[in-house]
Amino acid sequence: MDTDAAPVLTLLQAYLATSELPPDGRLPPERVLAEALGASRRELRKALAAMEAEGQLIRRVGAGTYLSPRPLAAIDEVASLAQSTRADDIVQARLILEPELAAAAAGRAADTDLSALQAAVRASRHPGLTWRGYELQDARLHREIAVVAGNPVLLFLYDHLAAVRRVMTWNRVRPVIVGPPQDHPSFTEHDRIVAAIAANDPDTARREMRDHVSAVHAAMNILDKG
Protein backbone atom coordinates (compact mmCIF):
# COMPACT_ATOMS: atom_id res chain seq x y z
CA MET A 1 0.00 0.00 0.00
CA ASP A 2 1.15 3.56 -0.73
CA THR A 3 2.74 4.90 2.46
CA ASP A 4 1.02 8.28 1.99
CA ALA A 5 -2.38 6.62 1.59
CA ALA A 6 -2.20 4.31 4.61
CA PRO A 7 -2.75 6.88 7.42
CA VAL A 8 -5.62 8.50 5.49
CA LEU A 9 -7.13 5.08 4.83
CA THR A 10 -7.07 4.37 8.57
CA LEU A 11 -8.88 7.65 9.28
CA LEU A 12 -11.34 7.01 6.46
CA GLN A 13 -12.18 3.60 7.88
CA ALA A 14 -12.69 5.18 11.32
CA TYR A 15 -14.98 7.78 9.76
CA LEU A 16 -17.04 5.14 7.95
CA ALA A 17 -17.23 2.97 11.08
CA THR A 18 -18.63 5.81 13.20
CA SER A 19 -20.75 7.83 10.73
CA GLU A 20 -24.29 7.37 9.51
CA LEU A 21 -24.39 7.48 5.72
CA PRO A 22 -27.58 7.85 3.65
CA PRO A 23 -29.44 4.64 2.70
CA ASP A 24 -27.77 4.53 -0.71
CA GLY A 25 -24.33 4.48 0.95
CA ARG A 26 -23.14 7.65 -0.72
CA LEU A 27 -20.07 9.26 0.86
CA PRO A 28 -19.87 13.04 1.34
CA PRO A 29 -18.23 15.09 -1.44
CA GLU A 30 -14.43 14.90 -1.53
CA ARG A 31 -14.07 18.46 -0.21
CA VAL A 32 -16.22 17.72 2.84
CA LEU A 33 -14.61 14.34 3.47
CA ALA A 34 -11.08 15.69 3.15
CA GLU A 35 -11.87 18.44 5.67
CA ALA A 36 -13.37 15.91 8.10
CA LEU A 37 -10.22 13.78 7.91
CA GLY A 38 -7.76 16.66 7.98
CA ALA A 39 -6.33 15.39 4.68
CA SER A 40 -5.60 16.95 1.32
CA ARG A 41 -7.81 15.89 -1.58
CA ARG A 42 -4.79 14.23 -3.20
CA GLU A 43 -4.23 12.10 -0.09
CA LEU A 44 -7.94 11.32 0.16
CA ARG A 45 -8.11 10.20 -3.48
CA LYS A 46 -5.29 7.72 -2.89
CA ALA A 47 -7.19 6.22 0.05
CA LEU A 48 -10.43 6.09 -1.94
CA ALA A 49 -8.59 4.40 -4.80
CA ALA A 50 -7.18 1.79 -2.42
CA MET A 51 -10.67 0.98 -1.10
CA GLU A 52 -12.07 0.91 -4.62
CA ALA A 53 -9.34 -1.54 -5.70
CA GLU A 54 -10.41 -3.83 -2.85
CA GLY A 55 -14.04 -3.67 -3.95
CA GLN A 56 -15.13 -1.72 -0.87
CA LEU A 57 -16.19 1.41 -2.74
CA ILE A 58 -17.80 2.23 -6.08
CA ARG A 59 -16.93 5.54 -7.70
CA ARG A 60 -19.28 6.79 -10.40
CA VAL A 61 -18.08 9.69 -12.52
CA GLY A 62 -20.38 12.64 -11.96
CA ALA A 63 -22.48 10.76 -9.41
CA GLY A 64 -20.21 10.39 -6.39
CA THR A 65 -18.63 7.62 -4.30
CA TYR A 66 -20.66 4.84 -2.70
CA LEU A 67 -20.10 1.95 -0.33
CA SER A 68 -20.02 -1.32 -2.21
CA PRO A 69 -23.00 -3.65 -1.72
CA ARG A 70 -20.55 -6.29 -0.58
CA PRO A 71 -19.94 -6.26 3.20
CA LEU A 72 -17.07 -4.04 4.31
CA ALA A 73 -15.40 -6.78 6.28
CA ALA A 74 -12.38 -4.72 7.26
CA ILE A 75 -14.47 -1.83 8.56
CA ASP A 76 -16.98 -4.06 10.33
CA GLU A 77 -14.19 -6.05 11.98
CA VAL A 78 -12.46 -2.92 13.25
CA ALA A 79 -15.73 -1.40 14.50
CA SER A 80 -16.67 -4.60 16.32
CA LEU A 81 -13.25 -4.90 17.94
CA ALA A 82 -13.34 -1.24 18.99
CA GLN A 83 -16.64 -1.81 20.79
CA SER A 84 -15.13 -4.56 22.94
CA THR A 85 -11.82 -2.79 23.57
CA ARG A 86 -10.98 -0.61 26.57
CA ALA A 87 -8.66 2.37 26.48
CA ASP A 88 -6.24 0.44 28.71
CA ASP A 89 -6.11 -2.32 26.10
CA ILE A 90 -4.98 0.15 23.45
CA VAL A 91 -2.29 1.58 25.71
CA GLN A 92 -1.00 -1.89 26.56
CA ALA A 93 -0.94 -2.95 22.90
CA ARG A 94 0.87 0.20 21.83
CA LEU A 95 3.45 -0.17 24.59
CA ILE A 96 4.14 -3.75 23.51
CA LEU A 97 4.33 -3.07 19.77
CA GLU A 98 5.50 0.46 19.03
CA PRO A 99 8.68 0.63 21.14
CA GLU A 100 9.88 -2.57 19.46
CA LEU A 101 9.08 -1.14 16.03
CA ALA A 102 11.12 1.95 16.89
CA ALA A 103 14.02 -0.21 18.07
CA ALA A 104 13.88 -2.29 14.87
CA ALA A 105 13.77 0.87 12.76
CA ALA A 106 16.88 2.17 14.55
CA GLY A 107 18.72 -0.96 13.53
CA ARG A 108 18.10 -0.66 9.81
CA ALA A 109 17.16 2.92 8.82
CA ALA A 110 18.72 4.13 5.56
CA ASP A 111 19.12 7.74 4.44
CA THR A 112 15.89 7.61 2.43
CA ASP A 113 14.03 6.28 5.47
CA LEU A 114 15.33 9.11 7.62
CA SER A 115 14.25 11.65 5.00
CA ALA A 116 10.70 10.24 5.14
CA LEU A 117 10.64 10.36 8.94
CA GLN A 118 11.96 13.92 9.02
CA ALA A 119 9.41 14.99 6.39
CA ALA A 120 6.62 13.59 8.56
CA VAL A 121 7.96 15.46 11.59
CA ARG A 122 8.04 18.73 9.63
CA ALA A 123 4.53 18.18 8.28
CA SER A 124 3.16 17.70 11.80
CA ARG A 125 4.43 21.16 12.71
CA HIS A 126 2.88 22.95 9.75
CA PRO A 127 1.24 26.20 10.92
CA GLY A 128 -2.54 26.25 10.74
CA LEU A 129 -3.08 22.50 10.98
CA THR A 130 -6.38 21.47 12.50
CA TRP A 131 -6.29 18.78 15.16
CA ARG A 132 -7.50 16.29 12.55
CA GLY A 133 -4.68 17.40 10.28
CA TYR A 134 -2.14 17.02 13.07
CA GLU A 135 -3.46 13.56 13.94
CA LEU A 136 -3.05 12.55 10.30
CA GLN A 137 0.58 13.69 10.21
CA ASP A 138 1.22 12.06 13.59
CA ALA A 139 -0.20 8.81 12.17
CA ARG A 140 2.02 9.22 9.13
CA LEU A 141 5.15 9.46 11.31
CA HIS A 142 4.25 6.45 13.45
CA ARG A 143 3.46 4.33 10.39
CA GLU A 144 6.68 5.40 8.67
CA ILE A 145 8.54 4.05 11.72
CA ALA A 146 6.62 0.78 11.41
CA VAL A 147 7.52 0.60 7.70
CA VAL A 148 11.21 1.27 8.38
CA ALA A 149 11.20 -1.56 10.95
CA GLY A 150 10.98 -3.86 7.95
CA ASN A 151 8.73 -6.61 9.31
CA PRO A 152 5.53 -7.05 7.24
CA VAL A 153 3.78 -9.05 9.97
CA LEU A 154 4.40 -6.33 12.56
CA LEU A 155 3.30 -3.69 10.04
CA PHE A 156 0.04 -5.62 9.55
CA LEU A 157 -0.51 -5.68 13.31
CA TYR A 158 0.36 -2.00 13.59
CA ASP A 159 -2.18 -1.04 10.89
CA HIS A 160 -4.96 -2.94 12.64
CA LEU A 161 -4.07 -1.46 16.02
CA ALA A 162 -4.04 2.03 14.51
CA ALA A 163 -7.44 1.44 12.89
CA VAL A 164 -9.05 0.29 16.16
CA ARG A 165 -7.50 3.21 18.02
CA ARG A 166 -8.84 5.73 15.49
CA VAL A 167 -12.36 4.30 15.71
CA MET A 168 -12.26 4.56 19.49
CA THR A 169 -11.07 8.17 19.49
CA TRP A 170 -12.91 9.48 16.42
CA ASN A 171 -15.67 11.26 18.36
CA ARG A 172 -13.41 12.41 21.18
CA VAL A 173 -13.70 16.14 21.91
CA ARG A 174 -10.69 18.10 20.65
CA PRO A 175 -9.37 21.32 22.20
CA VAL A 176 -11.00 24.50 20.90
CA ILE A 177 -7.77 25.91 19.47
CA VAL A 178 -7.09 25.33 15.79
CA GLY A 179 -4.38 22.75 16.31
CA PRO A 180 -1.47 21.88 18.59
CA PRO A 181 0.48 24.86 19.95
CA GLN A 182 4.11 25.30 18.95
CA ASP A 183 5.23 23.96 22.34
CA HIS A 184 3.13 20.80 22.07
CA PRO A 185 5.18 18.14 23.94
CA SER A 186 4.78 15.52 21.21
CA PHE A 187 6.94 17.62 18.90
CA THR A 188 9.98 17.24 21.14
CA GLU A 189 9.17 13.59 21.81
CA HIS A 190 8.98 12.88 18.08
CA ASP A 191 12.32 14.64 17.57
CA ARG A 192 13.95 12.41 20.18
CA ILE A 193 12.53 9.23 18.66
CA VAL A 194 13.71 10.13 15.15
CA ALA A 195 17.12 11.22 16.47
CA ALA A 196 17.58 7.84 18.16
CA ILE A 197 16.60 6.04 14.95
CA ALA A 198 19.02 8.23 12.97
CA ALA A 199 21.77 7.39 15.47
CA ASN A 200 21.09 3.64 15.04
CA ASP A 201 20.44 3.42 18.78
CA PRO A 202 17.71 0.78 19.33
CA ASP A 203 17.72 1.02 23.14
CA THR A 204 17.15 4.77 23.13
CA ALA A 205 14.57 4.57 20.33
CA ARG A 206 12.67 1.93 22.31
CA ARG A 207 12.75 4.02 25.50
CA GLU A 208 11.78 7.26 23.77
CA MET A 209 8.81 5.63 22.01
CA ARG A 210 7.65 4.02 25.24
CA ASP A 211 7.83 7.37 27.05
CA HIS A 212 6.03 9.11 24.19
CA VAL A 213 3.13 6.65 24.02
CA SER A 214 2.76 6.76 27.81
CA ALA A 215 2.77 10.57 27.84
CA VAL A 216 0.21 10.82 25.01
CA HIS A 217 -2.28 8.56 26.74
CA ALA A 218 -1.74 10.23 30.11
CA ALA A 219 -2.53 13.59 28.51
CA MET A 220 -5.64 12.16 26.82
CA ASN A 221 -6.90 10.91 30.18
CA ILE A 222 -6.46 14.36 31.70
CA LEU A 223 -8.36 16.01 28.81
CA ASP A 224 -11.16 13.44 28.96
CA LYS A 225 -11.62 14.06 32.69
CA GLY A 226 -11.45 17.82 32.33
Side-chain angles (χ1 to χ4, degrees), residues 92-151:
Q92 182 184 34
R94 292 192 72 190
L95 288 174
I96 289 172
L97 182 60
E98 293 196 56
E100 294 308 317
L101 287 170
R108 66 186 306 278
D111 289 344
T112 53
D113 298 322
L114 296 176
S115 294
L117 294 176
Q118 290 159 356
V121 167
R122 289 194 299 272
S124 72
R125 285 182 156 108
H126 193 278
L129 275 182
T130 63
W131 272 101
R132 290 288 189 205
Y134 167 72
E135 288 168 1
L136 174 59
Q137 299 307 327
D138 174 78
R140 175 184 167 196
L141 172 61
H142 282 259
R143 191 178 192 275
E144 287 282 3
I145 293 171
V147 170
V148 175
N151 185 317

Side-chain angles (χ1 to χ4, degrees), residues 20 41 43-44 47 49 68 84 106 189 192:
E20 287 191 17
R41 292 179 72 169
E43 293 169 326
L44 172 63
S68 168
S84 61
E189 293 162 11
R192 289 200 293 260

Side-chain angles (χ1 to χ4, degrees), residues 30-114:
E30 284 187 1
R31 175 184 57 80
V32 175
L33 194 53
E35 184 176 346
L37 301 180
S40 69
R41 292 179 72 169
R42 179 186 64 82
E43 293 169 326
L44 172 63
R45 285 169 183 158
K46 286 185 177 182
L48 292 172
M51 290 189 69
E52 183 181 27
E54 294 176 358
Q56 297 182 344
L57 294 178
I58 298 172
R59 291 199 281 180
R60 300 170 183 157
V61 178
T65 302
Y66 298 79
L67 292 179
S68 168
R70 114 183 190 186
L72 299 181
I75 295 174
D76 291 341
E77 178 184 341
V78 168
S80 176
L81 184 55
Q83 289 179 352
S84 61
T85 299
R86 301 172 304 161
D88 287 349
D89 297 328
I90 291 292
V91 178
Q92 182 184 34
R94 292 192 72 190
L95 288 174
I96 289 172
L97 182 60
E98 293 196 56
E100 294 308 317
L101 287 170
R108 66 186 306 278
D111 289 344
T112 53
D113 298 322
L114 296 176

